[in-house]
Amino acid sequence: MNNRFTKHLKEILFFLLFGLIQMGFSQDWKANYKDAMALAKTETKPVILVFSGSDWCGPCIRFKKTILDTETFLDYASENYVLYNADFPRKKKNLLPAEKTNMNKSLAERYNPKGYFPLVVVLDAKESILGKTGFDRRKTPQDYIDLLNGYLK
């Protein structure tokens, strides 16, 4: 019985630690666009604005998994960019608060009027577009970083 308890305790601790690590990664993404822009101005960093459909867009889900959630991308981007995800979930259980939904719609009207998903827009601190790109599954996280950095020149 003691071994069984120890095993379960280890499993619980593993999942708690895993969850805390995931929370740390997700904190690199700003929850509010206005806060993201304020931080971009304060730290003089460009913004990576991602348009995604997190629960319905297959390429968006692959992009998040193979590029955006990787340690390589997050480590680099969190030091050199401000990150904001303009998400457009469709499932009722994933719907965003009205204020965030309205902000994302406003951003889409301005930066993604054709409704491409996923779409990445690199902005400067004055909200001017430096570059736009989609998802190419042949690119590595480093390739993607190099592509985004190319817009800064």
Side-chain angles (χ1 to χ4, degrees):
M1 180 136 176
N2 222 1
N3 287 339
R4 187 189 258 179
F5 175 77
T6 303
K7 181 183 177 193
H8 288 302
L9 184 60
K10 286 180 182 178
E11 290 174 353
I12 290 169
L13 289 173
F14 171 78
F15 286 111
L16 284 173
L17 182 60
F18 182 76
L20 288 173
I21 290 169
Q22 291 299 321
M23 284 175 37
F25 282 145
S26 66
Q27 289 176 358
D28 291 326
W29 292 87
K30 302 304 168 220
N32 180 295
Y33 179 74
K34 290 179 183 178
D35 292 345
M37 291 313 301
L39 184 62
K41 289 175 186 166
T42 301
E43 296 187 2
T44 59
K45 290 182 179 179
V47 174
I48 295 175
L49 170 60
V50 178
F51 289 93
S52 68
S54 63
D55 64 4
W56 59 269
C57 170
C60 299
I61 294 165
R62 281 189 297 283
F63 180 49
K64 184 176 187 313
K65 182 179 178 181
T66 61
I67 302 293
L68 300 178
D69 283 350
T70 65
E71 189 175 342
T72 300
F73 180 82
L74 284 172
D75 286 349
Y76 184 85
S78 65
E79 290 293 319
N80 297 282
Y81 290 90
V82 175
L83 305 171
Y84 182 78
N85 182 29
D87 192 21
F88 291 84
R90 291 183 179 165
K91 293 180 183 173
K92 191 173 186 174
K93 68 179 182 174
N94 298 329
L95 294 180
L96 303 173
E99 183 179 341
K100 188 163 185 165
T101 298
N102 291 335
M103 174 55 74
N104 290 351
K105 285 180 182 177
S106 174
L107 291 170
E109 289 170 7
R110 184 171 177 188
Y111 298 112
N112 189 9
K114 294 185 179 183
Y116 295 129
F117 290 91
L119 178 70
V120 176
V121 182
V122 180
L123 303 170
D124 66 16
K126 295 179 183 174
E127 299 184 75
S128 297
I129 298 172
L130 301 174
K132 288 185 178 186
T133 189
F135 169 55
D136 180 347
R137 64 180 170 200
R138 297 169 296 191
K139 291 195 182 303
T140 67
Q142 187 59 55
D143 292 337
Y144 212 80
I145 290 167
D146 294 342
L147 173 67
L148 298 177
N149 284 342
Y151 297 137
L152 305 180
K153 298 175 182 174

